[in-house]
Amino acid sequence: MKNRKPMHIGIIPDGNRRWAEQHKLSREAGYAYGLKPGLLLLQQAKTYGIQEITYYGFTVDNCRRPKEQVQAFQQACVQAVHDLATEGVDLLVIGNTDSKCFPEELKKYTKRTAINGGGIRLNFLVNYGWKWDLSNIKSAGFLHSSDISRIDLVIRWGGMRRLSGFLPVQSVYADFYVEEKLWPDYEKSDFYRAMDWYKKQDVTYGG
């Protein structure tokens, strides 16, 4: 389909620590270099006509990393949310707020909030865990992430070919595109290359 366009894209911005090591920096220093790419990609997505975008911040499992790294990606996620919100978005931060790993500054965004006039639906996964997400079905009858729609395309930077627990229900029929480049090396062409690839994929949804 020549004009096929994803309405909702998921972003897995991997490779920050490897990028830091390649540039002779400490592992935790890499997270700050992923902030500018995140904002640039959001701006491109809005111009392209994407209606919803979800960024993978960090997981419950990531909190087992060394203290310095945990603090670094927590701070990076807080700054990323603040930077992205300057664009005019309908923001939702999703993750386990009962854990000490969830940044206090982001708790006010755990219900969808229109910022700077609202706009594209922006979801940010912070201290997210797929088991935690699904556990709410048993107690409440719906996902913790129930306000996030089905994902059409997941894009992962850094060359790894796995979802790493990224919204398993919403991603069930998503196309999965892998960019070998590490996330801090993001370029505008990465986005358009993924969009062109998506146009060429066959759609059957099991039919």
Side-chain angles (χ1 to χ4, degrees):
M1 294 178 64
K2 185 177 179 181
N3 296 316
R4 186 179 181 227
K5 180 187 297 185
M7 293 296 98
H8 182 184
I9 60 175
I11 304 299
I12 303 179
D14 195 22
N16 296 285
R17 292 185 298 167
R18 283 177 282 159
W19 185 91
E21 289 177 337
Q22 289 178 7
H23 289 78
K24 311 301 181 185
L25 301 170
S26 63
R27 279 189 157 195
E28 59 269 17
Y31 298 109
Y33 289 89
L35 295 174
K36 185 177 179 180
L39 182 57
L40 177 58
L41 191 152
L42 176 65
Q43 292 167 342
Q44 289 180 266
K46 291 178 68 175
T47 300
Y48 193 79
I50 303 297
Q51 295 180 1
E52 187 167 358
I53 185 169
T54 299
Y55 289 89
Y56 212 175
F58 67 88
T59 70
V60 173
D61 292 335
N62 291 153
C63 292
R64 295 200 295 260
R65 291 178 181 173
K67 182 179 179 180
E68 294 78 11
Q69 289 184 32
V70 173
Q71 291 177 337
F73 61 61
Q74 285 175 321
Q75 292 170 2
C77 281
V78 170
Q79 188 60 52
V81 169
H82 290 160
D83 290 350
L84 294 169
T86 63
E87 281 296 305
V89 297
D90 289 327
L91 174 65
L92 176 66
V93 177
I94 286 283
N96 185 356
T97 57
D98 293 332
S99 166
K100 292 180 180 178
C101 214
F102 192 98
E104 190 69 31
E105 302 96 314
L106 298 182
K107 288 185 176 179
K108 60 185 176 181
Y109 299 125
T110 53
K111 290 187 178 180
R112 194 170 295 281
T113 305
I115 300 178
N116 288 329
I120 187 172
R121 285 166 60 92
L122 168 64
N123 312 308
F124 210 99
L125 307 187
V126 174
N127 198 41
Y128 175 83
W130 67 270
K131 291 182 180 179
W132 165 83
D133 196 358
L134 296 176
S135 69
N136 206 51
I137 296 177
K138 186 174 182 179
S139 59
F142 54 88
L143 294 166
H144 280 294
S145 62
S146 61
D147 192 28
I148 297 178
S149 70
R150 182 177 64 79
I151 296 173
D152 300 304
L153 172 65
V154 175
I155 312 172
R156 179 168 186 149
W157 277 259
M160 299 297 183
R161 285 152 171 78
R162 55 174 177 261
L163 284 173
S164 299
F166 179 80
L167 292 174
V169 175
Q170 289 90 339
S171 298
V172 67
Y173 272 120
D175 286 310
F176 187 38
Y177 180 84
V178 177
E179 172 59 56
E180 298 295 332
K181 190 179 298 175
L182 302 180
W183 175 243
D185 288 324
Y186 176 84
E187 296 177 298
K188 285 185 176 181
S189 58
D190 296 357
F191 175 81
Y192 298 119
R193 191 161 50 248
M195 295 303 108
D196 288 342
W197 176 88
Y198 181 77
K199 291 177 184 178
K200 300 172 185 175
Q201 304 313 301
D202 187 27
V203 186
T204 64
Y205 297 127

